Amino acid sequence: MDVKQQNNKATSANQLNAVTTTPIQIYGAWHAGNDACSWATVRTVTEFDSKNHWLIDRGNGQPSVNLINLSFVNPLKLMNQTTDAGNLNGVPRGMTAEIVNYFKSHNIRVMLSIGGITYTDDWNTALSTNPTRLGLNAAAIAQQLGVGIEIDYEQSSSPNLTGLQSFINAYRSQLPYDATGNNPAARLTIDLAAGDRWLIDLCRYATVNWLTTSNPVLDYANAMVPNRQPNSATDATSNWQEHIDGKPNYSPVIPPLAPAKFTGGLYIVTGTKAAPECINFNNSLQKSCGTYVQTVVPNGAGTTSGMLGFMFWAAETPSSRRISTTPPNTCEGGVGAGATFYNIPIPMPALRQQ
């Protein structure tokens, strides 16, 4: 082999070994409130801060996250603008402007999550009754509070995609897609399964119609947590890779999703003990999965490497069966340390579009 051939071979090897690392843009948490996601009670900022201060201060005065999703709003009550013991005009009484501003005053973006597995039947009823009204009401509360909206519709069999399309059309009639991210209320996202093997019809429709890079309707998707915390980085990333690859063997196929159009979900509470994801970043999945999340290459959709980032389930008390992320089990050492390690931008920047 002559010198020229050796140089060409070395150049090719270097190109193959070159990895494009894209900084994480989204590093957020779903917030369950203090009552397992009902948010039914008005709370003072002082009391709320005593349980959640780690979210706005990782120990150095900087927030641990750049996004909070308040979970959950009941879609049927939002459509009907129900006022009852736990809701005011369809919004949980605990999701007040004061709590929203608690986060926004620290440059943390806020969203309201509509649905969750508990409210699947209510999603079905609302979408079959008046999805346009639901979309308009969601847009109105988003504008009122200055928050985004997340769709968490967990109907695994025959979801009402026509109704959901009407909901999105109504929302976008008031708040068009905003690539700059400057208008918080224009941020509209959707939750999909951890991989492509659950919520299949929803995943297919969303990937084809709402999450393209050429004509985006929704800002991005969250690949939700699976039934339990993955045992390893390989287990976690194999789920996310399914979205990137799509499912060409399905009929009809699920096309690939651009890495720049979704985040990956991890648990920060997994049982009766604080998880590494909460208290020990060096032993956490958000560390061991970090290279993948920042470098995974597109496989048929998108042009830039790397997913948008991580979402964590869930702050405070997502379930009476799980530990809460309240003192002494706060997550500065896990989520907060990760924010420092990855130099998470606060506030969240304009998101990659390709």
Side-chain angles (χ1 to χ4, degrees), residues 9 13 32 57 73 77 82 90 128 171 208 246 267 291 314 317 319 331 339:
K9 184 176 181 181
D57 183 1
V73 177
K77 291 189 176 183
T82 300
S128 65
Y171 193 95
V208 171
Y267 289 93
T291 297
T317 308
S319 168
C331 299

Side-chain angles (χ1 to χ4, degrees), residues 77 80-90 93:
K77 291 189 176 183
N80 290 327
Q81 296 184 309
T82 300
T83 294
D84 57 19
N87 295 270
L88 179 63
N89 296 324
R93 289 184 179 272

Side-chain angles (χ1 to χ4, degrees), residues 93-108:
R93 289 184 179 272
M95 295 184 184
T96 60
E98 289 75 18
I99 297 303
V100 169
N101 290 332
Y102 171 81
F103 293 110
K104 291 174 68 175
S105 66
H106 290 87
N107 288 318
I108 299 172

Side-chain angles (χ1 to χ4, degrees), residues 56-299:
I56 63 168
D57 183 1
R58 69 186 82 154
N60 62 358
Q62 289 292 306
S64 295
V65 295
N66 63 8
L67 170 66
I68 284 289
N69 283 11
L70 306 185
S71 308
F72 295 101
V73 177
N74 182 317
L76 186 57
K77 291 189 176 183
L78 181 59
M79 184 193 76
N80 290 327
Q81 296 184 309
T82 300
T83 294
D84 57 19
N87 295 270
L88 179 63
N89 296 324
V91 178
R93 289 184 179 272
M95 295 184 184
T96 60
E98 289 75 18
I99 297 303
V100 169
N101 290 332
Y102 171 81
F103 293 110
K104 291 174 68 175
S105 66
H106 290 87
N107 288 318
I108 299 172
R109 186 179 285 262
V110 180
M111 302 184 70
L112 306 188
S113 183
I114 301 177
I117 192 71
T118 300
Y119 296 144
T120 300
D121 288 344
D122 289 326
W123 257 119
N124 289 333
T125 301
L127 292 178
S128 65
T129 303
N130 197 338
T132 296
R133 174 50 54 192
L134 176 59
L136 294 175
N137 289 351
I141 195 62
Q143 290 172 305
Q144 178 183 329
L145 292 175
V147 300
I149 294 293
E150 172 186 274
I151 300 165
D152 189 350
Y153 177 37
E154 300 186 33
Q155 178 60 55
S156 61
S157 178
S158 301
N160 187 342
L161 299 175
T162 300
L164 194 57
Q165 182 70 68
S166 296
F167 166 86
I168 291 171
N169 290 347
Y171 193 95
R172 284 291 184 227
S173 73
Q174 304 302 302
L175 293 160
Y177 182 85
D178 175 18
T180 71
N182 289 338
N183 182 1
R187 180 66 46 92
L188 183 61
T189 69
I190 192 167
D191 288 346
L192 301 177
D196 280 348
R197 289 166 289 167
W198 188 59
L199 304 181
I200 293 171
D201 292 339
L202 181 64
C203 180
R204 178 186 296 115
Y205 194 89
T207 303
V208 171
N209 294 285
W210 302 327
L211 295 168
T212 66
T213 56
S214 57
N215 185 32
V217 176
L218 302 180
D219 290 79
Y220 60 87
N222 298 304
M224 293 187 291
V225 290
N227 287 336
R228 58 183 61 87
Q229 186 81 303
N231 292 320
S232 66
T234 299
D235 288 342
T237 59
S238 64
N239 285 325
W240 304 335
Q241 189 66 42
E242 289 186 8
H243 289 294
I244 291 167
D245 295 341
K247 287 290 186 185
N249 56 316
Y250 283 15
S251 181
V253 303
I254 299 177
L257 180 63
K261 280 296 176 183
F262 76 106
T263 71
L266 296 172
Y267 289 93
I268 50 174
V269 289
T270 58
T272 58
K273 295 182 179 180
E277 287 66 36
C278 177
I279 61 172
N280 189 342
F281 174 72
N282 285 331
N283 291 324
S284 70
L285 286 171
Q286 66 261 36
K287 183 175 183 182
S288 60
C289 294
T291 297
Y292 174 93
V293 167
Q294 294 176 96
T295 63
V296 61
V297 297
N299 189 23

Side-chain angles (χ1 to χ4, degrees), residues 280-350:
N280 189 342
F281 174 72
N282 285 331
N283 291 324
S284 70
L285 286 171
Q286 66 261 36
K287 183 175 183 182
S288 60
C289 294
T291 297
Y292 174 93
V293 167
Q294 294 176 96
T295 63
V296 61
V297 297
N299 189 23
T303 59
T304 60
S305 297
M307 294 162 53
L308 285 176
F310 292 107
M311 285 293 298
F312 298 102
W313 179 263
E316 203 164 357
T317 308
S319 168
S320 60
R321 299 184 302 275
R322 298 181 187 273
I323 197 169
S324 298
T325 64
T326 54
N329 302 307
T330 53
C331 299
E332 298 95 326
V335 178
T340 299
F341 182 85
Y342 291 122
N343 194 26
I344 298 301
I346 296 170
M348 185 188 298

